[in-house]
Amino acid sequence: MAQQHDFRTPARSSAQIQARSQARSRRKAMALAFTLSALGALALAAAGALLAPGTAHAQAAPAGGGWPAKPVRIVVPFAPGGTTDILARAMAPELSRAFGQPFIVDNRAGAGGNVGAEVVAKSPGDGYTLLMGTVGTHGINRALYTKLPYDPIKDFVPITLVAAVPNVMVMNTDRAKAMGVHNVQDFIRVAKASPGKMNMASSGNGTSIHLAGELFKSMTGTFMLHLPYRGSGPALMDLVGGNADVMFDNLPSSMAQIKAGKLVALAVTSAERSSALPDVPTVEQAGGPTLKGYEASSWFGLLAPAGTPPDIVNRIQQEVAKSLATPAMKERLLAQGAIPGGNTPADFARHIDNEHRKWAQVVKASGAKVD
């Protein structure tokens, strides 16, 4: 834990010396605050620049326009390197510039996003703790888990959708060649010929990456061993390293490896092709009648703990929307296969409700369950 520096000088007999000491104290405190503010944006890019647990609780939000008076934590419920983390780190410096305080990414991986979501659900609604929620934490997990440590509706206030992305069915390029897999039909043939011998990596139980694979398995009658990781980043490392056979990853986190030729994209999981990979078919197109109607896309958005003042929620939404509307950010996200969001809190709330209904049906059809 970082040490707390005390710049106060003990009282002395001379009032003049005491006054000079207090003046020095004020100057040092102001210099320290300025330095922290200036360096905050740089800390966003470092995986180790995390707020210690509970630091967001130390001070209540000041009334009125005083927020933010200190750094704001964005909890990412997955390990660094995945799409949730990528989007949070894209938004953090934009919000830091807009509000004049550091917005710091805090990765809290585990249980398909439930660990990080619970952290935010139990945090004060003071505007100093936010969640980069996903289709998993707020769409899938209610149907997948028999018991959640948080209520996705009652414990949160939706702020805005940040981006929607398709998933992409990817394999290690060398393993695909060795297995004779060049397309989805080849993959189904090989998987059926060796039931249980192939494995499927995911970013964790209950994520859209997991459920996209489970839906594929149920529709094709194939069986693959599920390997859940603590985020897309670690899963991708094993896939690239040849330790996993297939993954239905969020497109932005796989894009660099696809472009580098280390992964081969067999299909995207959306209803339509992605403009970022126009030559890659959808799962439905590549799979034929067996996979007719297959669709399993993902989304990511900011949420705050219940009780967060509406003026803070609206201010964050407006700045996120403004940033996502800039040509530079649009181009950056679209190149990675992500579609920028920025909708209102009310629209995002309706989106979450619709997504829960849709994914409840997917979970039921796939037969997936996590205790």
Side-chain angles (χ1 to χ4, degrees):
M1 181 180 293
Q3 293 183 348
Q4 297 294 322
H5 297 281
D6 189 350
F7 294 110
R8 294 173 297 178
T9 304
R12 298 178 184 275
S13 58
S14 170
Q16 186 176 10
I17 292 176
Q18 183 179 21
R20 283 200 299 269
S21 298
Q22 290 173 343
R24 283 196 300 270
S25 172
R26 287 192 293 270
R27 286 195 297 272
K28 289 180 181 179
M30 290 176 65
L32 178 61
F34 177 81
T35 301
L36 288 173
S37 179
L39 294 179
L42 294 177
L44 295 169
L50 308 177
L51 282 179
T55 54
H57 301 201
Q59 176 181 339
W67 178 92
K70 61 178 182 178
V72 177
R73 175 173 59 158
I74 302 177
V75 173
V76 169
F78 298 100
T83 299
T84 319
D85 184 69
I86 290 171
L87 291 173
R89 293 183 188 276
M91 285 292 98
E94 300 294 319
L95 293 171
S96 295
R97 283 191 286 270
F99 292 110
Q101 287 285 351
F103 278 65
I104 302 176
V105 175
D106 183 358
N107 294 87
R108 297 296 191 92
N114 290 344
V115 171
E118 182 183 11
V119 168
V120 179
K122 295 181 178 179
S123 295
D126 56 9
Y128 290 102
T129 304
L130 307 176
L131 174 72
M132 183 60 80
T134 71
V135 63
T137 61
H138 283 74
I140 296 173
N141 290 0
R142 280 187 282 176
L144 189 67
Y145 286 81
T146 55
K147 185 177 181 181
L148 284 179
Y150 62 92
D151 188 311
I153 302 302
K154 295 179 180 179
D155 292 340
F156 295 90
V157 177
I159 299 176
T160 188
L161 178 73
V162 173
V165 304
N167 290 2
V168 58
M169 184 180 180
V170 286
M171 292 187 70
N172 175 287
T173 302
D174 293 335
R175 286 179 70 86
K177 288 180 181 178
M179 293 179 183
V181 174
H182 304 285
N183 51 48
V184 173
Q185 295 283 8
D186 287 341
F187 183 90
I188 295 172
R189 173 180 51 78
V190 172
K192 284 188 173 182
S194 352
K197 292 186 178 180
M198 296 183 73
N199 59 56
M200 175 185 76
S202 85
S203 54
N205 287 317
T207 62
S208 68
I209 296 172
H210 172 206
L211 263 292
E214 292 294 343
L215 183 61
F216 182 92
K217 287 161 59 177
S218 69
M219 293 180 72
T220 58
T222 55
F223 174 73
M224 295 168 278
L225 178 66
H226 177 218
L227 303 178
Y229 290 76
R230 292 172 67 86
S232 181
L236 274 176
M237 288 179 63
D238 263 11
L239 190 67
V240 171
N243 297 319
D245 294 318
V246 69
M247 185 174 175
F248 292 76
D249 191 31
N250 302 139
L251 181 51
S253 49
S254 278
M255 183 64 79
Q257 302 297 342
I258 293 170
K259 289 182 177 179
K262 296 180 179 180
L263 297 180
V264 57
L266 300 181
V268 292
T269 66
S270 48
E272 298 179 356
R273 296 192 183 206
S274 169
S275 59
L277 293 174
D279 295 330
V280 177
T282 67
V283 170
E284 181 178 15
Q285 291 170 341
T290 299
L291 288 163
K292 182 174 178 57
Y294 181 99
E295 195 272 330
S297 297
S298 302
W299 54 261
F300 307 83
L302 284 171
L303 302 101
T308 301
D311 61 325
I312 293 178
V313 170
N314 290 330
R315 287 173 63 192
I316 296 173
Q317 183 274 327
Q318 290 164 10
E319 292 300 335
V320 171
K322 188 186 301 182
S323 171
L324 292 174
T326 62
M329 185 63 77
K330 274 186 176 180
E331 182 179 352
R332 177 180 176 183
L333 293 184
L334 290 172
Q336 295 295 318
I339 302 170
N343 58 2
T344 66
D347 286 339
F348 189 29
R350 283 190 287 271
H351 178 75
I352 290 173
D353 184 62
N354 290 336
E355 284 291 286
H356 167 62
R357 297 174 190 275
K358 182 186 89 171
W359 282 99
Q361 294 177 354
V362 172
V363 169
K364 183 177 180 180
S366 70
K369 274 292 177 186
V370 177
D371 292 326

